[in-house]
Amino acid sequence: MTGQEIVLLFAAGFAAGGVNAAVGSGTLITFPTLLAMGVPPVLANGTNCLGLVPGSVSGAYAFRDVIKPRIWRWAAIVAVAAILGALLVLVLPSEVFAAAVPWLILLAVALIAAQPLILKHLPPPNRWTSAAYMSGSGLYGGYFGAGQGIAFLAALAASGVSSIHEANGSKNVLAGVANASAAVVFILGGQVLWSAAAVLAVSSLLGGWLGGRVTRRMPAPALRALVIVIGLVAAIAAFVKGG
């Protein structure tokens, strides 16, 4: 990489780490940056996946006092689903699923926006429904992580997590687990550009730390509004990219 590319990628990773800690969809910043640098799509996906893991860790740390132990049961489900999603990247054409990305992001945003109304009509959360929600979100996160944070927020809400701050911290944990699990598949498949992943790892770590501290102090209504706004922007960006 050239010096200019390193600076550009560092800035993208820092921004993505902050956005992921706050809401999610940071992949929509870093993935196009890697493509613009000439990195092939599948290699860019694996590199991005590994590079953003530290940002999820630092983002989750800011919410450590509100994250409950139940998250680890869900994390195990997400890990398995994310591995399956990453395997799909290596064996299936990406165009089909990529076309569905903006619609999936919009669906997740709608679930967050209408959460109080929707939760009244969903079956009471139990371990089976929660497993289904986490499996779907983990599979999506392992395949293509853009908007996975919003998907996890929706899954957590449907699983009975009513506090937006607990949900946000738990979302960072689950996104980190999904990325780390999928990254193992991409590493074994030789689909990681290590120099770029290292730049993303450092920059996303710093961005996640700052983003986590900022959003931890936001009132719940403001944080929910931020989720919706960034989710809509992410969906529009995905539509434009897909078009």
Side-chain angles (χ1 to χ4, degrees), residues 9-10 12-18 20-21 50-62 197-213:
L9 191 58
F10 189 94
F14 183 85
N20 280 342
L50 178 61
L52 293 184
V53 171
S56 295
V57 175
S58 60
Y61 184 77
V199 173
L200 287 176
V202 175
S203 58
S204 70
L205 179 71
L206 297 174
W209 176 81
L210 180 60
R213 287 175 63 87

Side-chain angles (χ1 to χ4, degrees), residues 6-29:
I6 292 174
V7 171
L8 178 63
L9 191 58
F10 189 94
F14 183 85
V19 169
N20 280 342
V23 180
S25 302
T27 289
L28 291 174
I29 300 173

Side-chain angles (χ1 to χ4, degrees), residues 34 39 42-52 191-193 196-197 200:
L34 288 166
V39 181
V42 175
L43 183 60
N45 195 31
T47 301
N48 179 76
C49 191
L50 178 61
L52 293 184
Q191 296 298 332
V192 171
L193 182 61
L200 287 176

